[in-house]
Amino acid sequence: AQKITQTQPGMFVQEKEAVTLDCTYDTSDPSYGLFWYKQPSSGEMIFLIYQGSYDQQNATEGRYSLNFQKARKSANLVISASQLGDSAMYFCAMREVSGSARQLTFGSGTQLTVLP
Amino acid sequence: EPEVTQTPSHQVTQMGQEVILRCVPISNHLYFYWYRQILGQKVEFLVSFYNNEISEKSEIFDDQFSVERPDGSNFTLKIRSTKLEDSAMYFCASGIPTGGAEKLFFGSGTQLSVL
């Protein structure tokens, strides 16, 4: 079974509008972390935002916020006031804390295109 | 802001040759990782390194791969005899525990092309 599912291979948004990128996850570990990374066409992986499973509030970092719905196992990324420079691939990832594994498991990504 | 540095940004090699990919993790980080991304595919975990030893590795990380932290700053990935299917973007990452799960920061990657 997929641990991280991103169902939107591509998304379009108008500049200055908000956009939500979907991510659902599957784990039986009560302690885990969820991450979003941005990968522009140049290839680097840029850390955007992190949410811990025990965090009471949704994470926010500037124009990025994470809509964390634990019961639904979803961790959607919301980008407010989209800019042309937001056009990139966006990856959701998860790390389960309780076990010995420390690796991140990535979703397949969503290609976001911001239209002028 | 501190960042993970990788060199070279691009590496072209002949099949069967050895390559070493280099990384300088963020200085106060404790955990170090290599990931790779074949073109158009997911980012895949290769290996994690903590306290000067491998703590975890994936099935991709076979005997052709090795990692080393030769001094206090560098972290290297060696591929002993490259294959065509090793062509990928290789990312180094480092992390430090933060309240139960660590945040991972990635370098800008090394694009490896095996001819």
Side-chain angles (χ1 to χ4, degrees):
Chain A
Q2 293 283 338
K3 285 203 167 184
I4 293 284
T5 303
Q6 294 181 253
T7 57
Q8 307 151 315
M11 287 281 285
F12 292 87
V13 65
Q14 208 68 41
E15 197 179 5
K16 300 191 179 95
E17 298 286 310
V19 64
T20 298
L21 306 184
D22 294 341
C23 173
T24 57
Y25 59 92
D26 183 27
T27 181
S28 55
D29 193 330
S31 184
Y32 51 90
L34 297 156
F35 301 76
W36 277 92
Y37 288 89
K38 172 184 178 182
Q39 187 178 42
S41 57
S42 49
E44 69 267 33
M45 293 283 284
I46 302 168
F47 169 80
L48 294 179
I49 197 166
Y50 163 80
Q51 179 86 43
S53 58
Y54 292 119
D55 292 344
Q56 294 296 313
Q57 294 191 320
N58 286 346
T60 60
E61 294 277 353
R63 292 186 300 111
Y64 304 107
S65 60
L66 203 151
N67 183 3
F68 181 46
Q69 297 186 47
K70 196 169 180 177
R72 297 177 65 181
K73 294 189 175 177
S74 75
N76 299 339
L77 177 71
V78 181
I79 305 174
S80 62
S82 297
Q83 301 171 356
L84 295 177
D86 293 335
S87 293
M89 182 72 92
Y90 288 80
F91 290 98
C92 179
M94 176 178 68
R95 183 177 165 271
E96 293 156 316
V97 177
S98 300
S100 59
R102 302 196 68 84
Q103 58 177 284
L104 281 182
T105 301
F106 283 82
S108 53
T110 295
Q111 180 68 50
L112 176 68
T113 303
V114 181
L115 303 170
Chain B
E1 187 170 332
E3 57 181 27
V4 177
T5 306
Q6 288 186 246
T7 55
S9 55
H10 293 86
Q11 174 90 49
V12 181
T13 190
Q14 294 287 327
M15 191 170 61
Q17 295 294 305
E18 174 184 286
V19 294
I20 297 176
L21 310 183
R22 301 180 193 279
C23 170
V24 179
I26 296 173
S27 61
N28 64 334
H29 283 188
L30 303 175
Y31 297 91
F32 313 110
Y33 305 82
W34 285 98
Y35 286 78
R36 79 171 186 192
Q37 185 183 30
I38 295 171
L39 185 64
Q41 298 187 21
K42 284 187 187 184
V43 179
E44 301 173 293
F45 168 76
L46 291 178
V47 65
S48 62
F49 194 86
Y50 171 70
N51 205 24
N52 286 319
E53 61 183 22
I54 291 173
S55 52
E56 190 185 358
K57 59 183 180 178
S58 73
E59 57 201 27
I60 303 169
F61 193 88
D62 61 21
D63 292 344
Q64 293 300 314
F65 291 86
S66 61
V67 289
E68 204 173 42
R69 189 154 158 84
D71 52 42
S73 59
N74 291 288
F75 180 50
T76 62
L77 174 70
K78 183 194 289 187
I79 308 175
R80 203 159 291 122
S81 176
T82 49
K83 303 188 283 272
L84 296 176
E85 54 265 37
D86 293 329
S87 295
M89 179 75 94
Y90 287 80
F91 291 102
C92 173
S94 69
I96 190 166
T98 307
E102 77 214 53
K103 298 182 185 181
L104 271 189
F105 293 88
F106 284 77
S108 52
T110 293
Q111 180 64 55
L112 176 65
S113 298
V114 182
L115 306 178

